[in-house]
């Protein structure tokens, strides 16, 4: 047991901090605090430019292996980076789906040609990706998906519909799960296709969320095409590929989540001090409870990370998504209670951020596996309860 | 950065688990007159040496840290092993080691390493009055864990702590919610003690935090045991032609329990490390651990009764022993709300920004 960072790790922290301090200036300075969850449609152009700035600095693909062009950073270094990134209030990453989901999937399952074609632009921030999994009839039950791709000469021809596709409106590429096998059903005969978004067969219709803005969209495929060699992993064997991607979505990439959450809790504490809510015993009790659970979120993440180093997937890793999603939703609810009567009024500034937090966090317990699905997984996989 | 048990700590845990499995269960050990099973205790002290873990090597102990103690107490908590282990190590050893002079440590810690039991009486109204070159202790100490049997008593008074022999005071066990952990009332009727009995240290809060952390470790073990017992039961108990563990309401309740158990364990391990190395956030870490572990244990024990149905409501079953110990332990060494209030003060009342 040693919870301190080594001298090299502290040097790394210093390097990240210095770089961010020197580059989050000029046009980028006003991006501080913007573009995070619930705000992903803000300053998109500017955030893509920032993504490219990060790429030039070698700060994209931290977790990627060196062969993939990444930094090959350790998990501890990744956590340090994310903590410093949040501390500097650097903007929400426009390229997070490519970096966090598609890139690792291509690195694990892709051909050499695919790696050569797709990885570098993600690192450079020049190609933005979206994830085409969910469909109107396939949400929690992803294996019910119906989008179909049929072989036609050198191309796949894709027909169907995706929904809730985050950032589809700004993406150049989408990784699409589609049925390719004859007589395909459930987990069999699915493939993972890499599809260009700017083509006649693809139509994107933004969906306005309960937050009022649109971060996700419907995506219609109507005879869209992609070359036959743009399938990641085996044709008809895409389920395994999809599960690999989901593991990333729910796993290590959320290790730094608590760093952003700390900023939010800190901001809420300031509001509570300013408006007097900090004198209310009930509010104090709940702020303390959230602080404690935030600390524990970090600790459990670090425990998971130490187990990773030993090549284990411990059961505490399986509680991560449920834990942070529920924590964040509780924070959103407490934010309204801190505002008190002003919860009913929409205002600019801090209040605005708190309302966005309150509304956005209703989605945290839905995407990347709903709380109910997480509990099913914990019961069945971590506790071995019967199906 | 390594947040995991070391190989040595894992061996210690496994050995503790194997040893505890050989002891009679909590019912057999509490049913007679509530007295501890002397044979089990002599094996804990003699074979396992657990009372020596926290005692510095200079005083005949192992000189290990709270982390090792927490690992063992997690196991003891899991098996609800009735014994004076908690009071002796978490209260007695901690109080003497934190508050005592070198001479007092040499005398009393060595006695504990040799098998004596000890506890701390810090609740109540005991006062100390100067009497020539000694002191007169008067008043009542309440809710003293194992106060009726401990051989060495550390008593907190208006003039600091005193160490006195247990049989020098009038003491009586009080009926307790938790039958596996006796509480007692101690009466001091002008007990005369020498000045050497007075411990020079004043940091009672540190003693209580350290003990609270160790109680939290025990609570994590208890919470994990009720979860294990419940999951095992739901796999074999059939209703409507299926194991009840296949029903989603049951699965989700168990998933919630696992979240509570693993979160509390993260908090306890960190707090143990933080106290051992003297990290600046040690106090808040301990408060977090005690609050979360107390809540986790109580909620898990409550769920366990519910998920067992009628059998869970019986005297024979282990569920109620956990449930009672969980609620009683919640009240000891700071209720969760007390610890949250202290955390809130650090967050909201200081002018320095918390991290
Ligand atoms: C903000 C946001 C962004 C998203 N971004 C993307 C994206 O980029 N790409 C993408 O592919 N998808 C995305 N999604 C979709 C997301 O993955 C799905 O919404 C999610 O998987 C749930 O599916 P659903 O909406 O169809 O709800 P349903 O699956 O219909 O669920 C409805 C309710 O039923 C419950 N339920 C369903 N099955 C079970 C079960 N077996 N046991 C118990 N309860 C059950 C659910 O928990 C939920 O409460 C996004 C969603 C949101 C909210």
């Amino acid at each position: 047991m040693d919870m301190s960072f080594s001298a090299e790790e502290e040097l790394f922290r210093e390097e990240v901090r210095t770089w961010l301090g020197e580059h989050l200036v000029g046009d980028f300075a006003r991006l501080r605090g913007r573009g995070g969850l619930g705000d992903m449609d803000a300053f998109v152009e500017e955030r893509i430019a920032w993504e490219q700035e990060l790429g030039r600095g070698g700060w994209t693909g931290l977790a990627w292996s060196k062969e993939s062009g990444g930094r090959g950073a350790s998990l501890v270094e990744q956590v340090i980076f994310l903590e410093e990134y949040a501390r500097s209030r650097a903007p929400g990453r426009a390229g997070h789906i490519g970096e966090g989901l598609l890139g690792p999937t291509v690195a694990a399952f892709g051909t050499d040609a695919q790696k050569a074609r797709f990885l570098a632009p993600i690192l450079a921030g020049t190609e933005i990706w979206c994830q085409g999994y969910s469909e109107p009839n396939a949400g929690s039950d992803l294996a019910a998906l119906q989008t179909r791709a049929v072989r036609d000469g050198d191309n796949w021809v894709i027909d169907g519909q995706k929904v809730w596709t985050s950032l589809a409106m700004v993406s150049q590429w989408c990784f699409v799960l589609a049925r390719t096998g004859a007589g395909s059903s459930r987990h069999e005969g699915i493939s993972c296709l890499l599809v260009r978004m700017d083509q006649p067969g693809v139509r994107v219709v933004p969906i306005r969320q309960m937050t009022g803005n649109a971060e996700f969209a419907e995506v219609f495929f109507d005879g869209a095409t992609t070359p036959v060699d743009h399938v990641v992993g085996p044709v008809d064997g895409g389920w395994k590929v999809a599960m690999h991607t989901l593991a990333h979505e729910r796993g290590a990439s959320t290790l730094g989540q608590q760093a952003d959450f700390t900023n939010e809790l800190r901001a809420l504490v300031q509001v509570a001090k300013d408006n007097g809510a900090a004198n209310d015993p009930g509010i104090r009790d709940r702020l303390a409870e959230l602080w404690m659970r935030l600390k524990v979120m970090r600790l459990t993440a670090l425990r998971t990370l130490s187990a990773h180093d030993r090549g284990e997937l411990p059961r505490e890793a399986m509680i991560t998504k449920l834990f942070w999603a529920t924590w964040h939703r509780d924070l959103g609810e407490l934010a309204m209670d801190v505002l008190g009567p002003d919860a009913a009024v929409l205002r600019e500034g801090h209040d605005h951020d708190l309302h966005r937090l309150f509304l956005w966090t209703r989605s945290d317990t839905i995407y990347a596996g709903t709380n109910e699905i997480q509990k099913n997984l914990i019961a069945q996989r971590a506790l071995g309860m019967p199906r | 950065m390594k947040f995991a048990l070391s190989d040595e700590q894992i061996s210690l845990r496994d050995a503790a688990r194997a040893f505890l499995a050989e002891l009679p269960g909590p019912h057999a050990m509490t049913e007679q007159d509530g007295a501890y099973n002397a044979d089990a205790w002599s094996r804990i002290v003699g074979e396992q040496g657990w009372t020596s873990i926290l005692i510095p090597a200079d005083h005949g102990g192992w000189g290990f840290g709270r982390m090792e103690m927490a690992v063992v107490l997690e196991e003891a908590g899991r098996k609800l092993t009735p014994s004076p282990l908690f009071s002796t190590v978490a209260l007695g050893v901690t109080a003497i080691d934190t508050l005592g002079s070198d001479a007092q440590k040499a005398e009393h810690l060595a006695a504990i390493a040799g098998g004596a039991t000890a506890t701390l009486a810090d609740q109540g109204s005991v006062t100390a009055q100067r009497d020539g070159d000694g002191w007169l202790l008067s008043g009542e100490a309440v809710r003293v864990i194992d106060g009726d049997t401990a051989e060495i008593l550390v008593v907190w008074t208006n003039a600091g702590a005193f160490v006195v022999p247990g049989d020098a005071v009038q003491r009586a066990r009080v009926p307790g919610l938790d039958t596996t952990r006796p509480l007692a009332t101690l009466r001091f009727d002008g007990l005369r003690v020498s000045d050497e009995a007075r411990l020079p240290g004043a940091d009672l809060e540190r003693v209580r935090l350290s003990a609270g952390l160790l109680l939290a470790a025990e609570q994590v073990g208890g919470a994990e045991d009720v979860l294990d017992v419940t999951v095992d039961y739901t796999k074999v108990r059939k209703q409507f032609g299926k194991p009840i563990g296949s029903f989603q309401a049951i699965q989700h309740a168990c998933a919630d329990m696992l979240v509570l158990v693993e979160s509390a364990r993260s908090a306890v391990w960190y707090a143990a490390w933080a106290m051992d190395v003297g990290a600046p956030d040690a106090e808040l870490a301990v408060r977090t651990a005690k609050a979360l572990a107390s809540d986790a244990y109580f909620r898990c024990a409550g769920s366990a009764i519910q998920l067992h149905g009628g059998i869970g409501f019986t005297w024979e079953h282990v569920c109620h022993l956990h449930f009672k110990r969980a609620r009683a332990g919640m009240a000891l060494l700071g209720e969760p709300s007390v610890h949250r209030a202290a955390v809130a003060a650090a967050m909201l009342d200081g002018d320095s920004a918390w991290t």
Side-chain angles (χ1 to χ4, degrees):
Chain A
M1 186 78 106
D2 181 7
M3 299 295 292
S4 47
F5 294 100
S6 69
E8 298 88 83
E9 285 160 352
E10 290 298 354
L11 267 180
F12 178 75
R13 185 184 292 282
E14 204 44 52
E15 187 188 347
V16 176
R17 194 178 290 194
T18 307
W19 191 91
L20 287 170
E22 286 171 359
H23 290 80
L24 259 179
V25 293
D27 285 350
F28 294 132
R30 68 192 168 120
L31 298 180
R32 283 183 198 252
R34 298 307 306 267
L37 299 176
D39 192 36
M40 287 188 287
D41 56 338
F43 297 107
V44 173
E45 292 295 309
E46 293 86 342
R47 278 166 47 230
I48 290 175
W50 169 247
E51 193 75 15
Q52 295 167 359
E53 183 80 4
L54 285 171
R56 280 189 290 275
W59 297 110
T60 52
L62 228 63
W64 296 17
S65 69
K66 292 219 166 84
E67 304 86 83
S68 299
R71 204 180 247 265
S74 69
L75 283 166
V76 173
E77 286 172 337
Q78 293 172 51
V79 169
I80 290 173
F81 177 79
L82 291 167
E83 287 180 352
E84 289 306 317
Y85 195 84
R87 189 164 297 156
S88 70
R89 305 193 74 239
R93 296 283 302 276
H96 72 279
I97 296 176
E99 184 196 59
L101 303 181
L102 190 268
T105 305
V106 167
F109 294 96
T111 61
D112 287 344
Q114 287 168 345
K115 291 177 193 168
R117 165 64 188 83
F118 293 111
L119 295 182
I122 292 175
L123 292 172
T126 50
E127 287 183 350
I128 301 296
W129 284 81
C130 60
Q131 177 188 20
Y133 283 18
S134 303
E135 298 184 5
N137 291 316
S140 299
D141 184 13
L142 187 57
L145 64 91
Q146 292 165 331
T147 295
R148 184 155 270 295
V150 182
R151 187 71 195 262
D152 178 22
D154 290 341
N155 282 323
W156 292 101
V157 179
I158 307 152
D159 288 285
Q161 184 197 340
K162 296 292 171 181
V163 72
W164 323 127
T165 316
S166 297
L167 296 179
M169 45 294 231
V170 300
S171 297
Q172 285 80 41
W173 289 88
C174 183
F175 51 107
V176 177
L177 290 184
R179 295 204 174 278
T180 43
S184 153
S185 82
R186 302 296 298 166
H187 312 91
E188 311 295 325
I190 291 172
S191 301
C192 178
L193 281 72
L194 309 180
V195 183
R196 205 174 245 300
M197 294 293 280
D198 58 345
Q199 58 169 306
V202 175
R203 189 161 57 93
V204 176
V205 181
I207 306 171
R208 192 173 189 201
Q209 304 154 191
M210 62 179 267
T211 44
N213 58 339
E215 291 159 271
F216 57 29
E218 289 177 292
V219 181
F220 296 91
F221 297 96
D222 186 8
T225 63
T226 202
V228 281
D229 57 4
H230 280 16
V231 175
V232 189
V235 171
D236 294 349
W239 185 256
K240 207 176 67 192
V241 180
M243 290 304 105
H244 177 89
T245 313
L246 289 184
H248 271 272
E249 189 172 11
R250 293 166 188 175
S253 60
T254 62
L255 280 177
Q257 193 86 276
Q258 36 79 31
D260 291 317
F261 293 174
T262 302
N263 286 342
E264 292 172 350
L265 180 58
R266 199 187 294 278
L268 182 60
V269 161
Q270 194 54 53
V271 173
K273 282 179 164 181
D274 292 345
N275 78 358
N279 300 321
D280 177 306
I283 297 282
R284 294 173 72 88
D285 191 70
R286 287 164 65 201
L287 280 169
E289 167 87 23
L290 281 178
W291 182 90
M292 290 178 169
R293 282 161 58 203
L294 178 62
K295 286 286 162 191
V296 163
M297 193 186 302
R298 176 165 193 269
L299 295 172
T300 304
L302 293 174
R303 252 174 93 194
T304 308
L305 190 148
S306 295
H308 270 292
D309 287 348
R310 292 196 310 271
E312 298 166 11
L313 179 65
R315 66 182 195 174
E316 61 270 18
M318 302 194 66
I319 69 176
T320 307
K321 167 73 202 334
L322 176 65
F323 194 91
W324 72 250
T326 307
W327 185 91
H328 209 204
R329 188 172 69 186
D330 289 348
L331 180 71
E333 291 181 0
L334 181 54
M336 292 302 100
D337 295 335
V338 163
L339 286 183
D342 280 342
V345 185
L346 288 177
R347 280 199 302 228
E348 282 306 306
H350 268 317
D351 292 14
H352 174 81
D353 292 345
L354 296 185
H355 276 100
R356 185 169 62 209
L357 174 72
F358 171 59
L359 297 175
W360 168 263
T361 51
R362 305 318 291 193
S363 78
D364 286 324
T365 52
I366 296 173
Y367 66 81
T370 68
N371 273 18
E372 290 75 21
I373 295 297
Q374 296 301 331
K375 289 184 188 182
N376 291 349
L377 291 173
I378 292 169
Q380 290 160 15
R381 307 252 173 97
L383 296 173
M385 297 175 79
R387 279 170 167 274
Chain B
M1 171 66 64
K2 181 172 182 289
F3 192 20
L5 298 183
S6 65
D7 290 344
E8 293 76 25
Q9 287 159 349
I10 289 172
S11 308
L12 183 63
R13 180 194 67 192
D14 293 348
R17 192 172 294 184
F19 167 75
L20 289 166
E22 293 171 14
L23 297 186
H27 278 105
M29 292 174 79
T30 50
E31 217 66 78
Q32 312 93 8
D33 59 348
Y36 287 132
N37 181 311
D39 178 52
W41 177 241
S42 73
R43 292 185 64 195
I44 287 174
V45 176
E47 282 176 33
Q48 304 299 313
W50 291 341
T51 47
S52 297
I53 291 178
L54 283 177
I55 297 178
D58 302 355
H59 302 306
W62 298 3
F64 282 2
R66 291 175 184 82
M67 195 62 220
E68 283 73 23
M69 198 68 246
V71 163
V72 168
L73 284 171
E74 231 183 78
E75 294 307 314
R78 182 195 295 275
K79 285 293 136 221
L80 283 157
T81 307
S83 84
L85 179 64
F86 175 78
S87 53
T88 299
V89 300
L91 297 168
V93 171
T94 307
I96 294 163
D97 195 32
T98 311
L99 307 174
S101 66
D102 284 344
Q104 288 161 338
K105 288 187 206 178
E107 179 184 351
H108 300 296
L109 294 181
I112 294 171
T117 57
T119 193
L120 169 71
D122 67 334
Q123 307 288 300
S125 59
V126 182
T127 56
Q129 253 186 340
R130 262 298 185 186
D131 179 46
D133 58 355
W135 298 82
L136 289 178
L137 305 186
S138 313
E140 206 171 70
V142 295
R143 297 188 298 274
V144 184
I145 300 174
D146 295 326
D148 57 330
T149 54
E151 292 156 63
I152 299 171
L153 288 174
V154 178
V155 188
W156 184 257
T157 72
N158 56 315
F162 290 83
V163 57
V164 300
D167 53 16
V169 299
Q170 295 172 39
R171 45 194 189 165
R173 178 177 299 195
V174 292
L177 173 65
D178 173 8
T179 51
T180 66
R181 177 150 37 220
L183 300 176
T185 298
L186 314 182
R187 277 215 60 79
F188 295 81
D189 287 325
L191 175 69
R192 189 165 197 290
V193 294
S194 70
D195 197 43
E196 283 79 67
R198 190 171 166 278
L199 307 181
D203 198 350
L204 177 67
E205 193 55 24
R206 183 170 168 78
V207 176
R208 287 175 56 82
L209 284 170
S210 188
L213 158 70
L214 295 173
L215 181 55
E218 206 197 71
Q219 290 171 325
V220 168
E224 180 157 62
D225 186 59
V226 280
L227 171 60
D228 290 348
V229 166
T230 303
V231 168
D232 287 348
Y233 182 70
T234 67
K235 288 176 183 170
V236 295
R237 168 68 176 169
K238 288 198 174 125
Q239 285 294 282
F240 301 97
K242 309 188 233 186
I244 58 169
S246 64
F247 298 127
Q248 199 170 56
I250 305 255
Q251 293 193 350
H252 285 195
C254 291
D256 287 337
M257 288 162 79
L258 184 70
V259 172
L260 292 169
V261 170
E262 293 300 346
S263 305
R265 176 170 285 142
S266 296
V268 166
W269 285 4
Y270 177 70
W273 178 84
M275 275 211 109
D276 280 342
V277 305
D281 63 346
E283 178 190 335
L284 294 183
V286 170
R287 295 188 183 285
T288 301
K290 174 62 169 63
L292 293 186
S294 288
D295 281 339
Y297 193 13
F298 182 63
R299 283 170 60 191
C300 286
S303 276
I305 294 174
Q306 178 66 22
L307 299 186
H308 276 82
I311 192 85
F313 187 65
T314 61
W315 188 263
E316 307 322 312
H317 206 277
V318 74
C319 277
H320 77 105
L321 296 179
H322 276 301
F323 186 69
K324 292 168 182 172
R325 186 182 261 198
R327 187 58 190 84
M330 196 177 236
L332 298 171
L333 296 163
E335 296 257 346
S337 58
V338 169
H339 292 298
R340 287 196 296 271
V343 167
M347 288 172 86
L348 298 165
D349 302 340
D351 34 38
S352 68
W354 53 271
T355 51

